[in-house]
């Protein structure tokens, strides 16, 4: 479904991602783990078309999207929830959601149907539909940015640290929701620092350190790997 081969990302002379390869099969939930600065966000931004690859390739369902811009990537079927969690604070929840449907703006019936489905999945957003997004709690804003990405009707969803800065009870809800999305057939690449929770929902995982992938395997293999904490802590 998503095939990344030898991908590199540079910031000037800084080599943030150094020729990594990873795959995500259809319907799979894959976690990308690693300490701060390991290169996870740079990888996500590059897949999303927000950063240019210095080398390697990104192929989505057989289509090469390595040089695609963000809109082309979304149109190809891949949506991203960046860790910045930015909502448009003065727009209502409903207006924020409709912005996610930009590429389908001529299909209003389809958008209404998708919105109804998302309201079932995120009842809290339905309740707050007409409220400015800036008045939502952190957890609700995280739900909103995920729902907004889903308005693009992606087949692959990239989630960059959805649990960042949220209270444990809210993190629990976010992970339950990620599991629900997986069960609905969505293919997911999940970047997390929250290793235990990420491995609990993942089929497979990759561990990054200093721009390279240093371990990969099933969630069970990664969990039992004695070297995980050393890699994860960057030790
Ligand atoms: P975090 O969890 O903190 O987001 P990460 O694993 O996502 O960490 P990246 O943000 O991808 O890591 O950073 C990888 C490397 O690239 C780090 O050394 C970081 O300092 C560097 N880097 C990231 N963004 C920039 C930038 N805009 N300019 C220069 N260097 C950057």
């Amino acid at each position: 479904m998503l095939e990344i081969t030898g991908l590199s990302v540079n910031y000037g002379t800084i080599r943030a991602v150094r020729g990594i390869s990873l795959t995500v099969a259809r319907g799979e939930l894959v976690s990308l783990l690693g300490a701060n600065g390991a290169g996870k966000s740079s990888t996500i931004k590059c897949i999303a078309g927000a950063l240019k690859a210095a080398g390697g390739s990104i192929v989505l369902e057989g289509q090469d999207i390595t040089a695609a811009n963000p809109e082309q990537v979304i149109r190809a079927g891949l949506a991203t929830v960046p860790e910045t969690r930015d909502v448009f604070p003065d727009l209502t929840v409903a207006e924020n959601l409709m912005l996610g449907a930009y590429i389908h703006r001529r299909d209003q019936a389809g958008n209404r149907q998708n919105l109804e489905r998302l309201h079932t999945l995120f009842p809290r957003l339905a309740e707050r539909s007409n409220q400015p997004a800036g008045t939502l709690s952190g957890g609700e804003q995280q739900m909103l940015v995920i729902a907004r990405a889903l308005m693009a009707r992606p087949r692959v969803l990239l989630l960059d640290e959805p649990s960042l800065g949220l209270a444990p009870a809210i993190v629990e809800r976010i992970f339950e929701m990620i599991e629900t999305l997986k069960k609905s057939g969505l293919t997911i690449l999940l970047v997390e620092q929250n290793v235990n929770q990420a491995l609990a929902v993942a089929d497979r995982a990759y561990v990054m350190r200093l721009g390279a992938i240093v371990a990969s395997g099933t969630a069970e293999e990664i969990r039992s790997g004695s070297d995980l904490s050393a890699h994860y802590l960057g030790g």
Side-chain angles (χ1 to χ4, degrees):
M1 186 90 184
L2 178 65
E3 196 164 355
I4 292 166
T5 312
L7 185 71
S8 299
V9 180
N10 299 336
Y11 299 98
T13 56
I14 298 169
R15 296 175 60 214
V17 179
R18 304 172 176 223
I20 66 163
S21 297
L22 66 87
T23 59
V24 187
R26 189 178 304 274
E28 210 180 17
L29 197 166
V30 172
S31 283
L32 186 57
L33 310 172
N36 261 333
K40 308 178 301 296
S41 291
S42 302
T43 301
I44 293 292
K45 285 179 194 157
C46 187
I47 301 170
L51 277 179
K52 205 168 167 295
S57 67
I58 306 164
V59 176
L60 177 69
E61 294 181 305
Q63 182 185 351
D64 190 323
I65 56 163
T66 317
N69 67 34
E71 186 178 333
Q72 290 166 333
V73 172
I74 293 173
R75 286 187 187 280
L78 185 148
T80 303
V81 180
E83 66 181 334
T84 42
R85 200 179 294 159
D86 32 29
V87 298
F88 294 93
D90 300 329
L91 299 185
T92 65
V93 168
E95 287 164 343
N96 269 272
L97 286 173
M98 288 320 289
L99 285 173
Y102 174 78
I103 62 166
H104 303 296
R105 61 192 178 282
R106 289 195 189 84
D107 178 18
Q108 291 195 11
N111 289 336
R112 264 196 305 274
Q113 206 174 12
N114 198 23
L115 188 62
E116 269 173 38
R117 183 181 75 93
L118 291 173
H119 277 168
T120 316
L121 204 57
F122 305 93
R124 196 77 173 177
L125 296 181
E127 287 162 25
R128 310 203 163 212
S129 213
N130 298 317
Q131 219 168 294
T135 64
L136 300 183
S137 70
E140 289 164 349
Q141 291 192 5
Q142 182 62 65
M143 300 284 185
L144 176 57
V145 289
I146 294 172
R148 188 175 62 197
L150 294 173
M151 285 299 287
R153 307 179 212 165
R155 293 180 296 286
V156 179
L157 184 69
L158 306 190
L159 288 167
D160 195 356
E161 305 226 18
S163 73
L164 197 70
L166 298 177
I170 309 296
V171 171
E172 201 73 38
R173 296 239 315 269
I174 301 271
F175 275 96
E176 278 168 22
M177 202 266 311
I178 292 171
E179 278 200 286
T180 307
L181 292 176
K182 175 184 158 53
K183 282 188 192 131
S184 78
L186 193 65
T187 302
I188 301 172
L189 180 62
L190 169 68
V191 165
E192 263 298 337
Q193 294 213 29
N194 206 324
V195 176
N196 289 333
Q197 250 146 335
L199 288 178
V201 295
D203 298 303
R204 287 188 304 117
Y206 294 86
V207 183
M208 273 186 94
R209 180 169 180 246
L210 300 175
I213 286 172
V214 290
S216 67
T218 63
E220 189 51 47
E221 284 163 355
I222 296 288
R223 200 182 294 115
S224 59
S226 56
D227 52 1
L228 173 66
S229 58
H231 288 313
Y232 174 63
L233 295 168

